[in-house]
Amino acid sequence: MQKLPIGIQHFPSLREEGYLYVDKTELIHQLINTGKFIFLSRPRRFGKSLLISTLQQLFLGNKSLFTGLWIEDKIDWKSRPGLTINFNDLDYREQSLATALTNHMDHLAAEHGLQLQAEHYRDKFHDLIVHLSSEQKLVLLIDEYDRAITDLLGDEQKVAEHVTTLKNFYSVLKSTAAEHIHWCMLTGISKYGKMSIFSDLNNLLDITTDARFATLLGYTQQELEAYFPDR
């Protein structure tokens, strides 16, 4: 009997350590062929981070992790450069969001063997995308895009400051979209900041209420009966 995947958000761990995985890869295949910039809002603890981790491994071409799943023989499994930004990893409480983003861009650059010369977080983000896509357009995955807003809703001044910072940060996507980004997905728990933060990104496809992807996260009754018959 496979272990229940309670709290597992890392796809390689889930697959390599024998946890049960409800196969969502047919919908994921449809998703990556639907648009170039995708936005999805769902409540916390709903599987967004696992989806991002799954997409990360998919675009890295790690076919072995998908053995036995629907998508196994449906794509070419060529590896593509990628950049994943998880706002859960940013410390914006003890320092400004601008400083947190600046430090995080340097951290991500170091992980990829790069050293960024720019000083401003926006310029660092831009240069990181450009460097990573020098040979092939990259896949950009952003998890919890609005975390720095929704965590601080009781502090109107701080929220306004963070909205301004994030709008500046995400404006990089418009200037790099055509030449450097192959595919991009952003997840969050709200649409609160969507309209203002992404106002410069005209081609952002919101699938939050798209019936085609209603079961991309969570379990359907049919899936419960098929995957958990003895639970």
Side-chain angles (χ1 to χ4, degrees), residues 121-134:
Y121 63 86
R122 183 189 183 282
D123 298 329
K124 286 179 181 290
F125 186 29
H126 176 275
D127 291 353
L128 185 54
I129 290 175
V130 171
H131 280 302
L132 293 178
S133 61
S134 60

Side-chain angles (χ1 to χ4, degrees), residues 103-117:
N103 293 338
H104 196 57
M105 292 303 101
D106 285 334
H107 173 73
L108 291 175
E111 286 187 346
H112 289 277
L114 300 171
Q115 185 171 1
L116 303 174
Q117 300 302 315

Side-chain angles (χ1 to χ4, degrees), residues 72-86:
E72 181 182 5
D73 60 352
K74 303 300 191 302
I75 61 176
D76 58 19
W77 295 104
K78 291 181 180 178
S79 179
R80 184 174 288 275
L83 177 62
T84 301
I85 300 173
N86 188 338

Side-chain angles (χ1 to χ4, degrees), residues 33 58 83 87 93 102 106 147 149-150 166 170 173 198-199:
N33 289 287
L58 185 73
L83 177 62
F87 272 78
R93 293 181 181 274
T102 298
D106 285 334
R147 188 72 188 248
I149 298 172
T150 56
L166 289 175
Y170 290 126
L173 301 184
F198 302 125
S199 59

Side-chain angles (χ1 to χ4, degrees), residues 185-201:
M185 184 167 192
L186 306 98
T187 74
I189 69 167
S190 74
K191 291 189 181 183
Y192 169 80
K194 176 180 172 291
M195 297 308 293
S196 60
I197 289 175
F198 302 125
S199 59
D200 293 333
L201 197 59

